[in-house]
Structures are given as C-alpha cells and as structure tokens.
C-alpha cells in the first residue's frame, strides 16, 4: 500500500535531517539532488522543519549566488545538549556536546580504588554537572554511559561483576535522580568502542567484524550484518573469561584471572615486556602499557642506527602477537567475521606492525580468511561511542513526527 501523506512527510523529513547530520549544511537544491524529491516537496519540508525548530538558515552557498536558492540549512545544534561518559576502574571521562555532536566541554576525574562508593558516585555526578555548566548550563537531553561489565538486555542495568567497583552500578541511577529530565542509558564499553570504530574508525567499510579490546582489560564486541550482538544475558564478547592455554589456572564466574585476561590484559603485557628486557609500564594500565608497545614498534620500524635487527622489541612484539592470536583465533573459529579490529589503547599503539603479526599467526592457526586491522580511535573510542549513541537516541526522539 502507498504511504499516507503524513507518513510520506515523516519519511522525507527524517531523510533530510539525516542528510544534514551526515553532510553538514545544505541548500534546498542540494537536498533535492541527494533525496531525489521534487523541488516543491523539498520546499515544503524545509518550511516544515524550520517551523518546528529543527533546522535554520546558517549561511549562504557561494558569493555569486544570492537569494532563497543559495541559503544553507543546518540542524539547530543547540536544540539539545548531550553527555557521554567513559567509566573506568580508576575514574571517569565526561564530555558534553550539542545535538550534532560538537564537543562543548570535557573533563577527567580520577577516583581512587580506596574511595567509598557514595563518595565515588558523588564525584562522578558532580563532574557531569560541572561539565554541563562549562558547556553553557543547558539541561541535558540524553546521557550515554560506557562501562565495563555486563549490561542486562532486559533492564539496561549494569550487572554486578567481580572485580569492578560498586560505584559503577550506582552511577546511572544517581545521574537519573540528579538529572530527572535526561534520558540515561548504559552500554558495555567494548560495544561502544565497536560502534565508534564502525562509524568513524577502522571498520567503516565493514558490516561484519569483531573488535578485540586491548586496554586495562580485554573484551570483544561482535557486529554481524550491521547489528551489534549482545547475547541472552548481555555477555557476548566477555573474552577475558575465555579459558586459554598458557595460564596457570582457570577463570571462575567471578574472576577472569586464568582466562584470556591473564595473557592479554595490561598487567600481563607489562610483565611480558619486562621479561624481554623492555622498560616497565608506569602505571600498568591501558595508557601506560600502550607507551611501552608504541616504543617497541618504533624500535622495530625505525631502529637506532637505521639497521633492522632482531632484538628485545622484536621478540616482545612476536610474543605479544602469539598471545593475542590465541584469543582472536577462538573468536574467528566460532563467528568467521572476516575482520578483527585490535582496539583500545594497546591495539592502536601496536598499529599495523602488531596487526600484521597477529594476522600471520591466524593464517597458520585457522583456514578462515581473516583481515586484522589496528583500531584508529584507541582509548577515545568508548567516549566517542557513548556520544554517538546519545546523539542517535536524542535525534530519534527530536526528529520524530510530532503526531507520532
């Protein structure tokens, strides 16, 4: 059945808004060309969206063209403000943006391991409120939170996970209480990193891939046919618990020590670097270990004296690739994603040098053809993914027909 006039208008409006989000300001003529709609239809939707406060004239296209046909239309960015949070074991990163994703203010707040749950939550919430004030003080429309651990797909709540601070689970509720008009959502950090790498990073041309997160801990995110797969309990990609050879024990339901985490977590990589005579990471977390990995890559690609040789850095990267390939091969054998992205601070630091080593080992271990790429966004991917998610959800509501 053909769409009703109101449905057709809603479809056309949403199409135009998405184009303005993706392309930036456009003239009516450019909207006509990109949408394939008639000139009168485009004129109607521009008037309709302007009257609703969603778009406005932001300039003109070219000095030689004047008049209505030269007007550039853009989304009213201040229609809503958004917040994104990257919640780590040792603190929280916050940014506030407008509706099109332009960052207005950002902050980083350390939270020590000995900080009580109530005080930790208060520090994180205060950081959000302070960042909102620095961004202009407007109320938040949507808050996107990225955190380690399992997110219950039925409730959207962060589940209790062994080894993670209790304040992580309390944060979303505390923010909702202090910001009652905002929509607060929580997503697993690795899933958000995969979303960011797909939209803005190393996987922009892939609708099926696995992101292997290499940071303070390890994780995986699975994207199949363009859709993020979370699993029945939200645990798809909890690869840190994967039993692997090379560890002295097995993981448990509450502790991933003995799993893949014990081979490829930041602390394990720091010890591996020490075993090969490389400087230790300080601290032995994702960013700290990334410095060690980046230095090793530099010694291999641009060795002192200009002569390549097999030295400690080369042997360290080979051993690290051996470890990463064990986890990657397990994922590949089950999912056959065709592409594995090495994300997180350590994956980005390893770059093509580490990715090529992992790919070579996968070719020996599996008959399934798998491309291995270095992530481009590193540790910023979680925050970017949280912002993209918040922006999408805010736009879904604000761009919806008023009579829906």
């Amino acid at each position: 059945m053909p769409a009703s006039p109101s449905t057709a208008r809603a479809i056309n409006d949403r199409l135009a808004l998405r184009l303005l989000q993706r392309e930036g300001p456009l003239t009516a003529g450019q909207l006509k060309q990109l949408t394939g709609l008639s000139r009168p239809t485009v004129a109607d939707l521009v008037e309709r969206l302007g009257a609703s406060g969603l778009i406005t004239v932001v300039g003109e296209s070219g000095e030689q063209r004047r008049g209505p046909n030269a007007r550039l239309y853009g989304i009213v960015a201040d229609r809503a403000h958004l917040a994104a949070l990257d919640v780590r074991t040792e603190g929280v990163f916050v940014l506030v943006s407008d509706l099109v994703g332009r960052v207005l203010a950002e902050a980083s707040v350390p939270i020590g391991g000995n900080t009580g749950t109530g005080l930790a939550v208060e520090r994180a919430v205060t950081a959000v409120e302070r960042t909102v004030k620095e961004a202009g003080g407007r109320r938040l429309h949507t808050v996107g939170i990225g955190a380690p651990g399992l997110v219950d797909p039925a409730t959207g709540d962060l589940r209790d996970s062994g080894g993670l601070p209790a304040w992580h689970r309390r944060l979303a509720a505390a923010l909702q209480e202090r910001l009652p008009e905002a929509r607060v959502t929580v997503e697993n950090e690795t899933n958000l990193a995969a979303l960011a790498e797909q939209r803005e990073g190393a996987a922009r041309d892939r609708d099926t891939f696995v992101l292997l997160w290499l940071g303070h801990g390890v994780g995986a995110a699975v994207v199949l046919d363009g859709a993020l797969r979370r699993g029945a309990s939200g645990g798809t990609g909890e690869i840190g618990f994967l039993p692997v050879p090379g560890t002295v024990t097995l993981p448990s339901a509450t502790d991933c020590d003995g799993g893949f985490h014990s081979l490829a977590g930041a602390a394990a990589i720091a010890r591996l670097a020490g075993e090969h005579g490389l400087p230790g990471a300080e601290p032995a977390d994702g960013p700290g270990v990334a410095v060690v990995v980046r230095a090793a890559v530099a010694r291999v690609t641009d060795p002192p004296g200009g002569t390549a040789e097999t030295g400690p850095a080369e042997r360290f990267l080979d051993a690290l690739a051996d470890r990463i390939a064990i986890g990657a091969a397990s994922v590949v054998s089950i999912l056959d994603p065709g592409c594995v992205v090495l994300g997180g601070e350590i994956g980005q630091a390893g770059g093509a040098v580490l990715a090529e080593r992992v790919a070579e080992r996968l070719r020996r271990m599996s008959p399934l053809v798998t491309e291995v790429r270095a992530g481009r966004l590193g540790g910023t991917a979680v925050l970017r993914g949280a912002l993209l998610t918040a922006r999408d959800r805010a736009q879904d509501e604000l761009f919806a027909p008023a009579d829906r």
Side-chain angles (χ1 to χ4, degrees), residues 32 44 65 77 109 115 122 130 137 142 159 166 176 180-181 187 194 227 233 261 279 289 299 326 340 344 394:
K32 174 182 178 298
D44 286 344
R65 300 180 60 200
V109 180
T115 307
E122 181 61 28
R130 185 171 60 248
T142 306
R159 293 172 52 190
Q176 192 66 81
E181 296 180 326
E187 179 60 90
S233 62
H261 173 82
V289 173
R299 289 186 66 85
I326 290 174
V340 172

Side-chain angles (χ1 to χ4, degrees), residues 132-197:
V132 170
K133 185 176 181 180
E134 291 175 1
R138 297 190 58 177
R139 75 174 183 87
L140 293 176
H141 183 283
T142 306
V143 179
I145 302 174
L150 304 176
V151 177
D152 191 318
T155 65
D157 296 331
L158 189 65
R159 293 172 52 190
D160 187 5
S161 299
L164 295 178
W167 65 268
H168 285 194
R169 300 190 304 280
R170 307 276 184 86
L171 181 56
L175 281 170
Q176 192 66 81
E177 182 178 348
R178 294 269 278 270
L179 306 168
E181 296 180 326
R183 292 145 186 81
V184 180
T185 60
V186 183
E187 179 60 90
N188 173 268
E189 59 175 357
T190 308
N191 288 344
L192 291 177
L195 171 65
E197 289 286 2

Side-chain angles (χ1 to χ4, degrees), residues 37-384:
L37 299 173
S38 68
R39 188 176 300 277
T41 299
V42 170
D44 286 344
L45 75 81
V46 165
E47 182 178 355
R48 190 164 54 248
L49 293 174
S52 67
L54 289 173
I55 69 171
T56 189
V57 177
V58 296
E60 290 191 347
S61 177
E63 296 181 358
Q64 303 304 317
R65 300 180 60 200
R66 298 295 181 188
N69 290 337
R71 292 172 183 163
L72 279 169
Y73 297 94
I75 293 173
V76 179
D78 281 339
R79 179 69 181 268
H81 281 187
L82 320 169
L85 280 70
D86 178 2
V87 178
R88 303 288 182 100
T89 304
E90 68 283 357
V92 60
F93 297 89
V94 183
L95 67 78
V96 173
S97 83
D98 59 22
L99 184 58
V100 298
R102 184 174 63 242
V103 176
L104 305 174
E106 51 191 325
S108 172
V109 180
I111 299 176
N114 296 325
T115 307
T117 299
L119 180 57
V121 170
E122 181 61 28
R123 284 182 181 174
V125 173
T126 299
V128 174
E129 292 175 331
R130 185 171 60 248
T131 309
V132 170
K133 185 176 181 180
E134 291 175 1
R138 297 190 58 177
R139 75 174 183 87
L140 293 176
H141 183 283
T142 306
V143 179
I145 302 174
L150 304 176
V151 177
D152 191 318
T155 65
D157 296 331
L158 189 65
R159 293 172 52 190
D160 187 5
S161 299
L164 295 178
W167 65 268
H168 285 194
R169 300 190 304 280
R170 307 276 184 86
L171 181 56
L175 281 170
Q176 192 66 81
E177 182 178 348
R178 294 269 278 270
L179 306 168
E181 296 180 326
R183 292 145 186 81
V184 180
T185 60
V186 183
E187 179 60 90
N188 173 268
E189 59 175 357
T190 308
N191 288 344
L192 291 177
L195 171 65
E197 289 286 2
Q198 186 180 36
R199 299 268 287 271
E200 301 179 344
R204 280 179 290 182
D205 60 337
R206 305 289 307 198
D207 63 359
T208 294
F209 70 99
V210 167
L211 179 128
L212 190 60
W213 179 265
L214 301 170
H216 180 73
V218 296
V222 178
V223 177
L224 301 178
D225 299 325
L228 184 66
R229 307 297 179 174
R230 295 177 174 84
S233 62
T236 295
E238 286 295 321
I239 197 172
F241 289 88
L242 179 73
V244 292
T247 63
V248 297
T249 184
L250 290 174
S252 69
T254 59
D255 191 347
C256 58
D257 282 345
F260 184 56
H261 173 82
S262 295
L263 289 185
I269 297 175
R271 289 192 295 270
L272 182 67
E275 292 168 5
H276 285 82
L278 300 183
E282 193 60 44
D285 58 6
V289 173
V291 172
V292 175
V293 172
R294 189 173 292 109
V297 169
R299 289 186 66 85
V300 169
T301 56
D302 188 18
T307 302
E309 61 181 57
T310 301
E314 184 95 29
R315 291 191 292 272
F316 163 68
L317 291 172
D318 285 341
L320 178 57
D322 289 340
R323 292 186 174 197
I324 295 171
I326 290 174
S330 299
V331 173
V332 166
S333 66
I334 299 297
L335 297 174
D336 187 19
C339 178
V340 172
V341 175
L342 304 183
E345 297 94 347
I346 296 169
Q348 182 189 41
V353 170
L354 182 60
E356 289 167 3
R357 281 168 163 75
V358 174
E360 190 274 331
R361 283 151 179 79
L362 284 180
R363 285 193 292 270
R364 297 201 309 256
M365 298 167 70
S366 172
L368 306 177
V369 177
T370 307
E371 182 181 5
V372 180
R373 301 178 180 179
R376 295 180 184 173
L377 303 179
T380 67
V382 177
L383 204 56
R384 289 301 306 168

